[in-house]
């Protein structure tokens, strides 16, 4: 498998889009870890719902969960409404204490009227306020609390950590191979 350098001619638009996608997720991870003080933050991994994988998922000290779904365009946001998982969110069937969408600031005004009752809205702000130079996450609309959400078990948290470790290993392997080319 050939590894393409980001921004190279070989990578094309896909590589540039991958960088933007990762920036949104990286900012969400930083917000969960440092602002919400989550002990465990996972990317596209969930031990509870089988095949369903949220973009970013955090577990707080009390083992309660926060899910963040990254949406890059208004069309992407609207497409989410047709997914089966959305009906589970509406009914509170998912074991998520709070649910947020994170969007680029350019589409925040267009997305705000489409925001479901069960969701909060996050946008990206300036990069001046963070030591990692990632855009600061700003809460545009707070997420309601799902009081029916149960705490994760210690075993579920251990599974999440195990899967996340494998994800980090694959990411590091990808980075090392990319540096060699």
């Amino acid at each position: 498998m050939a590894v393409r350098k980001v921004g190279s001619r070989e990578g094309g638009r896909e590589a540039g889009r991958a960088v933007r996608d990762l920036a949104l997720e990286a900012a969400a991870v930083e917000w969960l870890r440092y602002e919400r003080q989550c002990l465990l933050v996972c990317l596209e991994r969930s031990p509870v719902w089988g095949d369903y994988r949220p973009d970013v998922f955090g577990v707080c000290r009390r083992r309660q969960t926060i899910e963040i779904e990254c949406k890059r365009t208004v069309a992407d946001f609207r497409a989410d409404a047709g997914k089966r998982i959305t009906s589970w969110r509406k009914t509170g069937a998912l074991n998520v204490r709070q649910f947020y969408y994170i969007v680029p600031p350019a589409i925040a005004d267009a997305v705000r009227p489409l925001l479901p009752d069960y969701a909060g809205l996050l946008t990206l702000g300036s990069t001046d306020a963070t030591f990692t130079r990632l855009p600061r996450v700003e809460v545009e609309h707070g997420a309601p609390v799902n009081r029916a959400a149960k705490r994760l078990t210690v075993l579920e948290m251990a599974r999440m950590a195990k899967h996340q470790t494998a994800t980090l290993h694959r990411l590091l392997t990808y980075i090392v191979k990319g540096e060699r080319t």
Side-chain angles (χ1 to χ4, degrees):
M1 178 173 107
V3 177
R4 296 177 183 149
K5 290 187 179 179
V6 175
S8 70
R9 289 181 185 255
E10 302 149 13
R13 288 176 33 173
E14 291 81 22
R17 186 171 57 225
V19 169
R20 287 190 304 272
D21 292 355
L22 289 177
L24 211 64
E25 288 179 348
V29 166
E30 185 177 83
W31 182 75
L32 284 173
R33 180 65 189 106
Y34 298 110
E35 297 292 326
R36 295 302 300 264
Q37 306 269 317
C38 288
L39 299 174
L40 183 62
V41 179
C42 299
L43 296 169
E44 296 193 27
R45 180 61 53 194
S46 172
V48 183
W49 305 298
D51 290 340
Y52 170 62
R53 296 194 175 156
D55 290 336
V56 183
F57 193 79
V59 182
C60 299
R61 293 179 195 272
R62 298 184 69 204
R63 297 193 322 254
Q64 296 169 329
T65 58
I66 301 171
E67 178 185 345
I68 300 177
E69 195 65 29
C70 302
K71 297 298 171 190
R72 285 133 190 102
T73 65
V74 176
D76 186 21
F77 188 88
R78 285 189 175 128
D80 199 53
K83 294 180 181 176
R84 178 178 50 157
I85 196 71
T86 302
S87 64
W88 294 347
R89 285 189 195 120
K90 285 179 188 174
T91 62
L94 291 178
N95 199 26
V96 174
R97 185 143 171 96
Q98 287 185 299
F99 174 79
Y100 288 93
Y101 285 104
I102 185 167
V103 299
I107 68 165
D109 290 335
V111 165
R112 197 172 291 112
L114 306 172
L115 193 65
D117 295 339
Y118 58 84
L121 183 64
L122 305 172
T123 60
L124 302 180
S126 70
T127 58
D128 299 338
T130 62
F131 66 91
T132 58
R133 295 189 188 138
L134 288 171
R136 183 173 188 80
V137 174
E138 297 178 6
V139 179
E140 291 284 324
H141 178 73
V145 174
N146 175 7
R147 302 218 183 268
K150 296 177 186 171
R151 294 180 350 158
L152 291 182
T153 66
V154 174
L155 180 60
E156 289 170 330
M157 286 187 65
R159 286 182 185 150
M160 287 177 78
K162 176 186 168 193
H163 289 300
Q164 201 59 30
T165 302
T167 301
L168 289 173
H169 180 268
R170 285 192 302 273
L171 178 62
L172 288 173
T173 303
Y174 177 79
I175 290 170
V176 168
K177 285 181 180 177
E179 288 177 357
R180 289 184 195 154
T181 58

